[in-house]
Amino acid sequence: MGKGKWVTMKDVADLANVGTITVSRVLRTPEKVSEPKRQRVQNAIAELGYVPDNTAGALSSSKSRIFGAIVSTISDSVFASTLDGLSSTLRAAGYELLLTSTGYDSDVEEDALRALLARRPDGIVLTSTSHSAGVTKLIKSLSIPAVEIWQLPSAPLDIAVGFSNFQAAYDMARHLIDSGRKNIAFVGGDGPRDARGRRRREGYLAALNAAGMPPITWSNKEQGAVSGIETGAAFFESCLNINPHTDAVMCVSDMVAVGVLCEARRRNVEVPGDLAVAGFGGFEVSMPSGLDLTTIEVPGKDIGVASAKALLDPEAARAKKVIDLGYKLVQRGTT
Amino acid sequence: MGKGKWVTMKDVADLANVGTITVSRVLRTPEKVSEPKRQRVQNAIAELGYVPDNTAGALSSSKSRIFGAIVSTISDSVFASTLDGLSSTLRAAGYELLLTSTGYDSDVEEDALRALLARRPDGIVLTSTSHSAGVTKLIKSLSIPAVEIWQLPSAPLDIAVGFSNFQAAYDMARHLIDSGRKNIAFVGGDGPRDARGRRRREGYLAALNAAGMPPITWSNKEQGAVSGIETGAAFFESCLNINPHTDAVMCVSDMVAVGVLCEARRRNVEVPGDLAVAGFGGFEVSMPSGLDLTTIEVPGKDIGVASAKALLDPEAARAKKVIDLGYKLVQRGTT
DNA sequence: TTTGATTATGGTATCGATACCATGCTTGAA
DNA sequence: TTCAAGCATGGTATCGATACCATAATCAAA
């Protein structure tokens, strides 16, 4: 049709022989327009292939119907399910999600936030919980809801949705201690940029400390990869050097645990007889068959859905301030 | 600062004692403004914490500096790296990415597209290659670049960036045939909504057909999960029933291959002696240690980067029309 | 019939930026 | 000295919608 030009509301109005405002009403509050005109307008819309311009709408109504999200990486599959939940819930309510990734670089966060704010979003989602002074100031000065997700911060900027990594790891360590394990190791979670992993490690340390057990921690920092399957496999290389009596290993993620399990099978280390293995959750929602891994199930998608609800109804969410969705320790065959 | 109100360009202009247009120029073409005024304006911006309103800018310049992307799911980690590449490249050029997921429902695609177009993007990215008539018509009528990614379509709507799943799988099958395997199975890729997996399966079938070998295909459709680790593990259950002489298995993804490998180790099936295992790639970019899996390395992130470039310079990209980034058959220890 | 309430509809200002044109000033060449 | 060219700057219209107010039409009650 139009080359380089968009059809405008005026075009529709002219064709239907009504005022532009009537077209606007047909789209937003159709019950306020009489039947015959509504029909004419709708026909005109279809005939011209009219697509409303939300940019203009946002300007005049000062409601953009966009929410912004800042994530460290999209590739991190843990976030992915959250983003899916967020995006689909918002879309169902007629909102769009503007996504920006920082690549774990906190200097970028402020830039990303500014870029986001330039679109005048109706609310924002942050996936990190420690912010620079600039970011904090910027957010505090806004009148739109800000939701921090995943790791629950001690002092939320506005609204927080997530669960406690610390507590979950603590519980998992207790589970291993209670089932009689004496030498419990922890693998991963030491990356300087991986705040969630670090909290898990801290939960583990706290539990062992409370039980009077010496911790056994390990990572392959030098290799750069701290969360892949290979980390779990490589763990065996040095594990026995540190403590040859290790009889349980908590992993910072399910992926790492899968690596440990594969390697254990290859070396004929019996699981859970010789070695208990625990993961940390939700990289694949269900893994009932095959691996039978004990893990912490994390409400990734629920976090997305709950954040969306918080953005859509900030008053209700602010009443709670912190929305803790919990986690589930799922015991299976590996412990 | 302002409660519920945003600082506008006018506010900055008043404080700096210049016209609004000068503020605009300081932000976009600073070299056209004299040194002293530029300083005054920049001070005013900093003092007021001014964040420009791109919504308004988009309206008057009819350039939104937004690109839209429609993906089936964000959770699919394969897309994730592409989205990362796309998003970061665009952001570096001052553009933003508006993301919408369809949840594999092609009815939703047209809705999603309309919602995207309502934001007047400067270009769009599509991850599926078969579109409804409505979608095709809508896109053809646009004057903005449209990039189809991953699977290369036979007749691109506008620009296509990706590689051939068919050819890659064909090559992998040839590799197995050439290395002397006689009974080669294929696992997965039969989901009605998984077009990429289907093309891989077809490539496999074509190669076996050309070699005069009967195919052995398997899937656990009934379980709903056709791409997880458990698929690979479950494969063993029925594999021997179909063909007890199976000596090679091509998997629709690396994840499935990991499942196969783990299960093989557990059952003391020697890899690659008794069974060759091949994955299909890039769910984790490098897995050098531990698993040593032969796989097809897929240029996930590059696709994102190349798409971003195509969007930013559509004329150059249109000259090529189809940008084939290829793939890499990486032979490792499992074949 | 008049009045007030209610519904349907349109006109006009406005949102916050950019585009375009006009202006005044400074130069250097004629 | 005069004029053209170039630069810095500002004024005003404009982008495409919505908000707000005004008006016309309809209907029930007085």
Side-chain angles (χ1 to χ4, degrees):
Chain A
M1 305 269 181
K3 254 191 183 40
K5 279 282 163 219
W6 297 86
V7 176
T8 75
M9 193 173 265
K10 182 91 182 6
D11 298 330
V12 175
D14 288 349
L15 180 61
N17 210 16
V18 297
T20 56
I21 191 71
T22 304
V23 178
S24 176
R25 277 197 270 257
V26 168
L27 292 169
R28 301 189 307 152
T29 50
E31 73 281 2
K32 291 193 171 178
V33 177
S34 68
E35 179 60 24
K37 293 212 179 187
R38 197 190 315 154
Q39 269 308 325
R40 264 163 41 210
V41 169
Q42 262 154 357
N43 290 342
I45 288 175
E47 186 173 334
L48 296 173
Y50 171 65
V51 178
D53 185 335
N54 274 326
T55 305
L59 185 58
S60 63
S61 70
S62 58
K63 268 171 222 139
S64 63
R65 299 187 79 82
I66 280 189
F67 288 111
I70 300 180
V71 300
S72 38
T73 343
I74 306 172
S75 338
D76 192 329
S77 54
V78 192
F79 283 144
S81 64
T82 301
L83 291 176
D84 255 342
L86 189 58
S87 156
S88 58
T89 309
L90 290 179
R91 239 182 66 68
Y95 288 76
E96 234 63 45
L97 185 68
L98 198 53
L99 200 59
T100 310
S101 55
T102 60
Y104 281 113
D105 187 342
S106 69
D107 289 348
V108 178
E109 194 182 19
E110 189 168 343
D111 282 349
L113 182 59
R114 294 203 115 83
L116 228 49
L117 293 179
R119 307 288 170 181
R120 297 295 186 265
D122 292 339
I124 52 174
V125 174
L126 302 166
T127 50
S128 85
T129 50
S130 57
H131 314 285
S132 71
V135 169
T136 308
K137 192 181 157 216
L138 213 46
I139 291 179
K140 294 263 185 196
S141 77
L142 298 175
S143 55
I144 57 174
V147 179
E148 291 166 285
I149 63 172
W150 274 82
Q151 175 61 45
L152 293 174
S154 43
L157 287 169
D158 187 10
I159 301 165
V161 177
F163 68 99
S164 167
N165 283 286
F166 180 95
Q167 193 59 45
Y170 190 100
D171 279 9
M172 180 60 89
R174 282 293 332 163
H175 162 66
L176 292 170
I177 293 167
D178 291 347
S179 57
R181 303 292 167 170
K182 297 299 175 203
N183 297 281
I184 306 170
F186 188 92
V187 179
D190 59 333
R193 306 178 310 184
D194 180 11
R196 287 172 299 282
R198 217 160 45 232
R199 289 297 289 162
R200 290 171 196 170
R201 174 176 281 234
E202 286 163 11
Y204 154 84
L205 290 172
L208 263 69
N209 188 48
M213 290 176 157
I216 312 168
T217 62
W218 185 86
S219 66
N220 59 349
K221 222 185 282 202
E222 63 286 351
Q223 292 192 9
V226 283
S227 62
I229 283 185
E230 61 272 27
T231 301
F235 160 71
F236 269 91
E237 297 299 328
S238 18
C239 172
L240 298 178
N241 295 336
I242 300 169
N243 185 331
H245 305 301
T246 300
D247 59 359
V249 53
M250 272 177 68
C251 302
V252 75
S253 76
D254 281 349
M255 285 299 263
V256 173
V258 168
V260 169
L261 281 177
C262 283
E263 194 65 11
R265 283 174 179 177
R266 198 165 69 98
R267 293 178 180 236
N268 282 318
V269 173
E270 203 196 318
V271 174
D274 300 335
L275 185 73
V277 179
F280 202 112
F283 98 95
E284 203 73 289
V285 184
S286 67
M287 31 171 52
S289 59
L291 290 165
D292 208 26
L293 178 70
T294 292
T295 192
I296 297 283
E297 267 183 21
V298 152
K301 187 156 189 173
D302 293 343
I303 291 177
V305 173
S307 315
K309 288 184 181 156
L311 289 169
L312 293 169
D313 186 0
E315 287 321 311
R318 281 194 181 118
K320 290 188 199 137
K321 202 90 185 155
V322 172
I323 300 169
D324 189 336
L325 295 175
Y327 50 86
K328 210 161 75 188
L329 198 164
V330 182
Q331 198 205 338
R332 299 215 187 87
T334 58
T335 63
Chain B
M1 303 272 182
K3 252 190 182 44
K5 277 284 165 217
W6 296 87
V7 176
T8 75
M9 192 174 266
K10 181 95 185 1
D11 298 330
V12 175
D14 288 350
L15 180 60
N17 208 17
V18 297
T20 57
I21 191 70
T22 303
V23 177
S24 177
R25 277 197 269 258
V26 167
L27 292 170
R28 301 188 307 151
T29 51
E31 73 281 2
K32 291 193 172 180
V33 178
S34 67
E35 180 58 28
K37 292 212 177 182
R38 198 190 318 155
Q39 269 309 325
R40 275 182 9 231
V41 169
Q42 262 155 358
N43 290 343
I45 288 176
E47 185 172 335
L48 295 173
Y50 170 65
V51 178
D53 185 335
N54 275 323
T55 305
L59 185 57
S60 62
S61 69
S62 58
K63 269 172 223 136
S64 63
R65 299 187 80 80
I66 280 188
F67 288 110
I70 300 181
V71 299
S72 38
T73 344
I74 306 172
S75 336
D76 191 328
S77 54
V78 192
F79 282 145
S81 64
T82 300
L83 291 176
D84 256 342
L86 189 58
S87 154
S88 57
T89 309
L90 291 179
R91 239 181 65 67
Y95 287 76
E96 234 64 44
L97 186 67
L98 198 52
L99 200 58
T100 312
S101 55
T102 60
Y104 281 113
D105 186 342
S106 70
D107 289 350
V108 178
E109 193 183 18
E110 189 168 343
D111 282 351
L113 182 59
R114 293 203 115 83
L116 228 48
L117 293 179
R119 307 290 170 181
R120 298 292 186 266
D122 292 337
I124 51 174
V125 174
L126 303 166
T127 50
S128 85
T129 50
S130 57
H131 314 285
S132 71
V135 169
T136 307
K137 192 181 157 216
L138 214 46
I139 291 178
K140 294 264 185 194
S141 77
L142 298 176
S143 54
I144 57 174
V147 179
E148 293 167 284
I149 64 172
W150 273 83
Q151 176 62 44
L152 293 174
S154 43
L157 286 169
D158 187 9
I159 301 165
V161 176
F163 69 98
S164 168
N165 283 286
F166 180 93
Q167 194 59 44
Y170 190 99
D171 280 7
M172 181 60 90
R174 282 292 333 163
H175 162 66
L176 292 171
I177 294 168
D178 291 347
S179 58
R181 304 290 165 170
K182 299 297 176 203
N183 298 281
I184 306 170
F186 188 93
V187 179
D190 59 332
R193 305 177 309 183
D194 180 11
R196 285 172 300 281
R198 218 160 46 232
R199 291 296 290 160
R200 290 170 197 171
R201 175 176 279 233
E202 285 164 12
Y204 154 83
L205 290 173
L208 263 70
N209 189 46
M213 291 177 158
I216 312 166
T217 62
W218 185 85
S219 66
N220 61 348
K221 223 184 283 205
E222 64 285 352
Q223 292 193 8
V226 282
S227 61
I229 284 184
E230 60 272 27
T231 301
F235 159 72
F236 270 91
E237 298 299 328
S238 17
C239 173
L240 299 178
N241 295 336
I242 300 170
N243 184 333
H245 305 298
T246 298
D247 58 0
V249 53
M250 273 176 66
C251 302
V252 75
S253 75
D254 282 348
M255 285 299 262
V256 172
V258 168
V260 169
L261 280 177
C262 284
E263 194 64 12
R265 283 175 179 176
R266 199 166 68 99
R267 294 178 180 235
N268 282 316
V269 172
E270 204 196 315
V271 174
D274 301 337
L275 186 73
V277 179
F280 202 112
F283 97 95
E284 202 74 290
V285 183
S286 67
M287 30 172 50
S289 59
L291 290 165
D292 207 25
L293 178 68
T294 292
T295 193
I296 296 283
E297 267 184 20
V298 152
K301 186 154 190 178
D302 294 342
I303 292 176
V305 173
S307 314
K309 287 183 181 158
L311 289 169
L312 294 169
D313 186 0
E315 288 321 311
R318 280 193 183 119
K320 291 189 198 135
K321 204 88 188 160
V322 172
I323 299 169
D324 189 335
L325 295 175
Y327 49 85
K328 210 161 76 188
L329 198 164
V330 182
Q331 197 203 338
R332 298 212 187 87
T334 59
T335 64

